[in-house]
Amino acid sequence: MTRKVGEISQRVIDLLNLNVKSKTPIFTGKSNVLHMQKSHKQDYKAYGRYIPAIIENPDYVGINPSDDSIEFVKIFEIDGKFVKVAVRISDGGNYYARTIYARELGKFEKFVESGHLIKY
């Protein structure tokens, strides 16, 4: 049930100074979807279908300092939330969209001010 949900663009590579080839595929697998459905049920239900669009055209990107995941962020102004899709490399060297979650915009501003997120 592994499926491709996006690619790491050259722009993301340049912004985050990543050591990865342009157009490296990003997948999601059964365990990833189960994790999102269990741990972030409402967020996955509301925004899961947007994962490919968030990866393709984020508003902001960043690196999570706690686990080195690549974060793709989209602001949903209608809902007053920002949505993060975290992508991590697997032991096998593939990139997977591991989780998705939404937060209030107030927290988003703190991430931008701290330099954790960079405007795409």
Side-chain angles (χ1 to χ4, degrees), residues 1 28-38 44 97-98:
M1 176 175 157
T28 192
K30 184 177 180 178
S31 65
N32 307 124
V33 172
L34 289 173
H35 167 77
M36 290 183 243
Q37 290 173 333
K38 182 179 178 185
Y44 182 76
R98 298 271 299 139

Side-chain angles (χ1 to χ4, degrees), residues 79-113:
D79 295 341
K81 298 193 180 214
F82 73 98
V83 178
K84 277 188 182 184
V85 174
V87 173
R88 285 192 232 157
I89 191 167
S90 70
D91 291 338
N94 293 314
Y95 287 82
Y96 284 88
R98 298 271 299 139
T99 195
I100 185 171
Y101 56 92
R103 297 290 183 260
E104 299 302 320
L105 283 175
K107 289 187 179 190
F108 164 78
E109 292 164 2
K110 291 178 185 177
F111 285 120
V112 173
E113 288 171 8

Side-chain angles (χ1 to χ4, degrees), residues 63-69 71 84 88 101 116:
I63 299 289
N64 186 320
S66 66
D67 63 10
D68 290 329
S69 61
E71 296 181 330
K84 277 188 182 184
R88 285 192 232 157
Y101 56 92
H116 178 74

Side-chain angles (χ1 to χ4, degrees), residues 14-72:
D14 293 343
L15 286 169
L16 300 177
N17 195 28
L18 299 175
N19 185 18
V20 63
K21 290 183 181 180
S22 181
K23 298 188 179 185
T24 293
I26 299 170
F27 302 100
T28 192
K30 184 177 180 178
S31 65
N32 307 124
V33 172
L34 289 173
H35 167 77
M36 290 183 243
Q37 290 173 333
K38 182 179 178 185
S39 299
H40 306 285
K41 184 177 183 176
Q42 293 303 324
D43 296 336
Y44 182 76
K45 185 176 179 181
Y47 303 105
R49 68 183 173 273
Y50 299 113
I51 290 173
I54 293 168
I55 291 170
E56 181 181 344
N57 191 28
D59 293 320
Y60 289 80
V61 293
I63 299 289
N64 186 320
S66 66
D67 63 10
D68 290 329
S69 61
I70 304 168
E71 296 181 330
F72 295 83

